[in-house]
Structures are given as structure tokens and as C-alpha cells.
């Protein structure tokens, strides 16, 4: 008999159908069922579920659940909402997602490196003025977070000729990147970064990690790119640093509240580029294969893939 794998998702009908279409061929030996369609007997057998913005009640209704495969790389909400639950959470760890994120990091780094916000402003005022362009090697980019996404992004920036430094919780080695860890390490990275890119997970420790004090460590004229989660940055502090001229620009893809509310001052701030959470959209085909590999491995060996550490929150 085929193993029943529920897809527990609060997505639009079209999105759900598209995920089912990607997952079904990747899991030919399993029966994929939406949470609402599980029979009582099926519910009692489920050991692994696939989740995307799940309703907590649907997960808690599975008495033998051992682990959940998230379709998203960011699992902060899932981990927080299921605190205390026995089952493991496995985040989406897809090399294609990391490549897409690295592309976004390069794109927005080049946007700042090539002074595009300034030339846009000049165009509006019909100003024809050229500014000095440093070599990429003369520009230090600091990456906060050197996990699946930060590592590939750092490598891409190195390939492009930038000087790259990075920060993680535990020490990491990446060829061509000066790496730091721990509290003192953050200070070092911020002090030398002309562009700082945030790819940290949102946890109790990283909440408002970029605040008035830490943003003050950045050199004058530095810029921020936040592609991780909004609440890692204290928005009020960021606005103050931009308004007083200490920082020159911020590219924000993620916000405390999404969609960004219409009354948010961020929409119209001249030194902020607002993006609607588009840095690294999950590719359903590649993500489905990653999820399927993890599930097939578990079904054949009983081994749960590397899981989120619930104490650390990522
Ligand atoms: P990983 O878990 O693979 O990596 C997290 C990195 O952050 C690790 O290097 C980790 O350190 C470091 N870190 C965690 N806590 C701390 C801390 N307290 N101090 C210093 N470093 C810390 O995550 P991913 O790379 O897969 O994803 C990062 C985040 O990107 C996701 O959590 C999600 O929020 C966001 N994201 C955004 C998307 C978008 O489209 N905007 C798309 C996908 C994800 P260590 O190496 O020591 O463990
Ligand atoms: C994700 C995201 O976590 O899009 O995959 O932020």
C-alpha cells in the first residue's frame, strides 16, 4: 500500500494545485492528500507531512507525525507556532533557491555599487553629473548569515570581484571570504561593510539585531540590503540613520507586516527601495524534488533529514 503524505497548506486553490502537480510525479510511490481530505484512518498513519503556511490544528491532528517538510526556506512562523510539539521541522534547502537568492544579492549589490538610486534622482531633476566608480575590489560587502543562502551569495560576490566578509553564529570557512562569528565578529563586519546584506533567520537572538547601536557601526554612506525577514531590522532606527545622512540607502524585500501597509512611511522614503518579497521565489519543480528526496530517504532508511534546532529557532 502507498504511504499517505498530506500536503498541509493554506494557499490559494491555484497555488495548491500547482504544488500537487509538482509533488505528485516526484513521489510516485506515495499518495498525496490535502489535509481536509484525510480520512480518520489515514490520519492515524501519517509520519511525515509537507507544509506551506499550515493550519496548526491540521498538524496537531496527526498523532504519529514525526517530521514536517517545509516548502519554504524560512521556517520562523512554523517553528514558533509549533513550539513544544514533538515533531521535527525540516526547512527547504534547495540549491536552486540559493542560486536565485545569490542572483538577487548580486543584482541589488550592483544597483548600489553602480549608484543607481542617485542616478534615478538626478534624472528626475535633469541633472547630468558623473560620479566616481570604485572597483568592486574597493567595495566591501558584509553578509550577515552564512547558511544555505548566505554562502552561495558570498561566493557569487567574490566571483564578481567584490571584497566580501561574513558573519555567522558558529565559525564558517568560505574561500575568498573573511569570516567572523560571535558578538565581536558582528562589530567587525559592520565596521568594514559599505554594503551590508542580511540573510539571517529571524530568531529571538536576531530580532532587531540591526538596531540603532549596530547600524551606527556601519561606515558613513553605507547601505543595507535586507532579503531575510523584516523584524531583524529596527525600522525606526533605520529611518533615523537614513534621515541624518549616516546611511545612504536601504533595499528592503521583507517587512514586519506583509504586504507592506499603505500608510507605511517606507513606501515614499527617497532612500528606500521597497520590493514585495521577491528576492528568491521558491521554484516548485526543484523544491518538489528536494522534498521528495528527503521523504524517500526517510521511507527507506527511517532517517529524518537535518532538522531545525527548536532552541536556536533555525
Ligand atoms: P540557514 O539556516 O541555512 O542559515 C542561517 C545562517 O544565519 C547561518 O550561517 C547561521 O549561523 C546564521 N545565524 C543564525 N543565527 C545567528 C546569530 N544569532 N548570530 C549570527 N549568525 C546567525 O538559513 P538560509 O540561508 O536557508 O535562510 C536564511 C533566511 O533567509 C531564512 O530564514 C528566511 O528568513 C530568508 N529567506 C528569504 C527569502 C526571500 O525571498 N526574501 C527566501 C528564502 C529565505 P551558523 O552557520 O553558525 O548556523
Ligand atoms: C521563504 C521565503 O522562506 O520566500 O521561502 O521567504
Amino acid at each position: 500500500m502507498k504511504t499517505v503524505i498530506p500536503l498541509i497548506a493554506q494557499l490559494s486553490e491555484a497555488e495548491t494545485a500547482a504544488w500537487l502537480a509538482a509533488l505528485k510525479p516526484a513521489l510516485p510511490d506515495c499518495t498525496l492528500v490535502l489535509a481536509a481530505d484525510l480520512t480518520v484512518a489515514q490520519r492515524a498513519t501519517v509520519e511525515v507531512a509537507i507544509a506551506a503556511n499550515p493550519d496548526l490544528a491540521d498538524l496537531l491532528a496527526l498523532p504519529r507525525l514525526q517530521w514536517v517538510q517545509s516548502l519554504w526556506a524560512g521556517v520562523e512562523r512554523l517553528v514558533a507556532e509549533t513550539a513544544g510539539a514533538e515533531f521535527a521541522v525540516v526547512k527547504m534547502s534547495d540549491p536552486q533557491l540559493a542560486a536565485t537568492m545569490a542572483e538577487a544579492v548580486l543584482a541589488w549589490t550592483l544597483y548600489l555599487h553602480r549608484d543607481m538610486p542617485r542616478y534615478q534622482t538626478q534624472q528626475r531633476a535633469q541633472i547630468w553629473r558623473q560620479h566616481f566608480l570604485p572597483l568592486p575590489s574597493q567595495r566591501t560587502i558584509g553578509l550577515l548569515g552564512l547558511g544555505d543562502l548566505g554562502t552561495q551569495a558570498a561566493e557569487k560576490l567574490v566571483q564578481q570581484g567584490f571584497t566580501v566578509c561574513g558573519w555567522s553564529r558558529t565559525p564558517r570557512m568560505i574561500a575568498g571570504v573573511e569570516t567572523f562569528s560571535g558578538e565581536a565578529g558582528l562589530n567587525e563586519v559592520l565596521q568594514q561593510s559599505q554594503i551590508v546584506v542580511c540573510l539571517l533567520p529571524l530568531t529571538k537572538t536576531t530580532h532587531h539585531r540591526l538596531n540603532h547601536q549596530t547600524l551606527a557601526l556601519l561606515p558613513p554612506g553605507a547601505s543595507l540590503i535586507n532579503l531575510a525577514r523584516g523584524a531583524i531590522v529596527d525600522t525606526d532606527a533605520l529611518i533615523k540613520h537614513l534621515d541624518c545622512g549616516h546611511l545612504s540607502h536601504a533595499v528592503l524585500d521583507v517587512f514586519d507586516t506583509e504586504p507592506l501597509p499603505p500608510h507605511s512611511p517606507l513606501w515614499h522614503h527617497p532612500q528606500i527601495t521597497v520590493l514585495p518579497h521577491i528576492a528568491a521565489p521558491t521554484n516548485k519543480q526543484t523544491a518538489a524534488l528536494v522534498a521528495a528526496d528527503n521523504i524517500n530517504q526517510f521511507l527507506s532508511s527511517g532517517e529524518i533529514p537535518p532538522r531545525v534546532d527548536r532552541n536556536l529557532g533555525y
Side-chain angles (χ1 to χ4, degrees):
M1 217 173 60
K2 287 185 170 188
T3 307
V4 171
I5 309 281
L7 170 62
I8 305 191
Q10 297 183 96
L11 300 171
S12 68
E13 236 174 79
E15 276 288 289
T16 306
W19 273 112
L20 284 176
L23 286 161
K24 277 185 176 163
L27 286 164
D29 299 330
C30 300
T31 305
L32 270 165
V33 184
L34 293 178
D37 299 334
L38 280 170
T39 64
V40 174
Q42 283 175 328
R43 244 184 233 130
T45 66
V46 169
E47 294 184 326
V48 50
I50 300 174
N53 311 345
D55 181 341
L56 184 56
D58 288 334
L59 291 173
L60 296 180
L62 304 172
R64 295 187 59 200
L65 185 64
Q66 291 191 42
W67 64 285
V68 174
Q69 171 67 60
S70 168
L71 291 178
W72 310 143
V75 288
E76 21 282 283
R77 196 175 75 96
L78 182 56
V79 170
E81 285 182 353
T82 62
E86 296 275 305
F87 57 80
V89 171
V90 174
K91 78 176 174 97
M92 177 49 60
S93 211
D94 179 1
Q96 178 55 56
L97 183 80
T100 305
M101 182 59 92
E103 182 184 86
V105 170
L106 178 62
W108 295 108
T109 299
L110 288 174
Y111 170 78
L112 296 171
H113 172 63
R114 299 302 302 247
D115 245 350
M116 291 198 201
R118 173 143 66 161
Y119 288 118
Q120 261 168 0
T121 308
Q122 284 191 191
Q123 180 183 345
R124 274 185 225 112
Q126 291 184 239
I127 295 171
W128 183 277
R129 189 176 299 148
Q130 295 160 350
H131 301 279
F132 172 69
L133 174 65
L135 294 172
S137 58
Q138 294 169 314
R139 191 83 86 180
T140 300
I141 319 298
L143 270 160
L144 307 184
L146 298 174
D148 287 343
L149 306 184
T151 298
Q152 267 213 44
E155 288 166 352
K156 188 123 194 141
L157 293 171
V158 169
Q159 280 162 21
Q160 194 67 27
F162 288 105
T163 296
V164 184
C165 58
W167 183 61
S168 50
R169 191 179 56 81
T170 58
R172 299 273 153 194
M173 293 234 308
I174 303 170
V177 178
E178 194 180 5
T179 54
F180 300 86
S181 59
E183 207 49 35
L186 176 62
N187 296 358
E188 294 239 27
V189 167
L190 292 178
Q191 276 161 7
Q192 53 180 287
S193 299
Q194 286 144 305
I195 299 173
V196 65
V197 182
C198 180
L199 279 176
L200 291 165
L202 176 61
T203 66
K204 280 193 259 212
T205 320
T206 63
H207 182 267
H208 281 198
R209 207 66 201 78
L210 292 175
N211 52 39
H212 188 69
Q213 285 74 27
T214 48
L215 289 172
L217 296 169
L218 288 164
S223 298
L224 165 73
I225 302 174
N226 186 10
L227 307 180
R229 287 294 181 263
I232 298 169
V233 179
D234 175 345
T235 306
D236 292 342
L238 172 65
I239 291 176
K240 284 194 185 120
H241 279 274
L242 290 167
D243 286 348
C244 75
H246 170 231
L247 298 184
S248 60
H249 201 86
V251 176
L252 305 177
D253 185 54
V254 286
F255 302 90
D256 289 326
T257 306
E258 296 181 12
L260 186 62
H263 60 265
S264 169
L266 301 176
W267 281 115
H268 301 291
H269 197 292
Q271 292 152 273
I272 292 179
T273 298
V274 169
L275 302 170
H277 201 134
I278 44 82
T282 306
N283 178 285
K284 293 188 179 63
Q285 267 59 45
T286 59
L289 292 178
V290 172
D293 275 355
N294 284 345
I295 290 169
N296 287 330
Q297 180 71 20
F298 169 74
L299 295 178
S300 60
S301 70
E303 264 177 49
I304 298 177
R307 64 184 74 187
V308 170
D309 179 327
R310 285 188 179 275
N311 290 323
L312 293 173
Y314 75 100

